Amino acid sequence: MPRQITLADGRVVEVECLSCALTSGLIDPTGGVIYESSLFHVHQDVAYPIRGLVILASKRHHYGMDELTDEEQLEFISLIHKIRKEQRNRLGIEKVYYFYNEDTTHHFHLWMVPRYEWMYQLGSSVESLRPVLLHARNHMNDEENMKNVVEGINILKVGMKDFNLKMKR
């Protein structure tokens, strides 16, 4: 059943599966696609405007990590490694929370949530993740921060270009 979702940039979309809508190109993620292959789609999280908050989503609709094919497994771990390297080297992100759950309304995806200094006021462990995300959604979707987020997306796109070349060889 379709549901309405408000994106960080203010757009309201109605979809059955947000991940399917993003990976198929039905919805353009804020700032565009960071990386895309025949198996995976990498984009800025569309609900939470935090610079460098990356979603690594399977293009195939499934829910569990144990459902990845051999080919998907290899690309998945390579992508995590490359994205994290670019977060650190290009965006200066020192710490990241990796979050994946199987009871989502969307299909298989991994959240790579940067840990910034401002987040410690909301807690210092994984328990602070939800308050951090809500704070970003409710207080950081202004024009200045969205420009900063899009700048981060563009920087990550540049970093992922050499991964595109490596994977096509």
Side-chain angles (χ1 to χ4, degrees), residues 54-129:
V54 172
I55 301 295
L56 169 53
S58 172
K59 284 194 167 182
R60 186 170 60 85
H61 189 93
H62 64 93
Y63 290 97
M65 191 173 298
D66 59 324
E67 297 174 73
L68 291 170
T69 66
D70 290 345
E71 182 182 13
E72 287 169 332
Q73 291 174 47
L74 292 173
E75 188 173 330
F76 182 67
I77 196 66
S78 294
L79 278 167
I80 293 169
H81 179 266
K82 177 62 174 171
I83 294 163
R84 181 62 188 108
K85 185 176 180 180
E86 297 306 325
Q87 286 174 317
R88 182 183 308 280
N89 293 341
R90 293 182 186 269
L91 297 181
I93 296 169
E94 290 301 318
K95 294 186 179 6
V96 168
Y97 287 160
Y98 299 88
F99 186 74
Y100 144 78
N101 64 323
E102 294 181 355
D103 64 351
T104 179
T105 57
H106 314 305
H107 67 257
F108 182 80
H109 63 283
L110 176 75
W111 296 26
M112 297 175 70
V113 184
R115 188 71 181 172
Y116 291 109
E117 199 60 39
W118 65 265
M119 295 174 173
Y120 289 101
Q121 68 186 351
L122 300 168
S124 61
S125 72
V126 72
E127 294 170 354
S128 69
L129 187 58

Side-chain angles (χ1 to χ4, degrees), residues 6 9 50:
T6 302
D9 62 11
I50 299 172

Side-chain angles (χ1 to χ4, degrees), residues 6-19:
T6 302
L7 307 182
D9 62 11
R11 290 179 290 161
V12 176
V13 297
E14 190 169 315
V15 295
E16 292 202 26
C17 174
L18 181 58
S19 292

Side-chain angles (χ1 to χ4, degrees), residues 152-169:
I153 292 165
N154 290 330
I155 290 168
L156 289 174
K157 284 180 189 179
V158 169
M160 293 303 292
K161 281 186 181 178
D162 64 337
F163 186 80
N164 285 334
L165 296 174
K166 182 176 114 181
M167 291 302 291
K168 289 179 181 175
R169 288 183 194 151

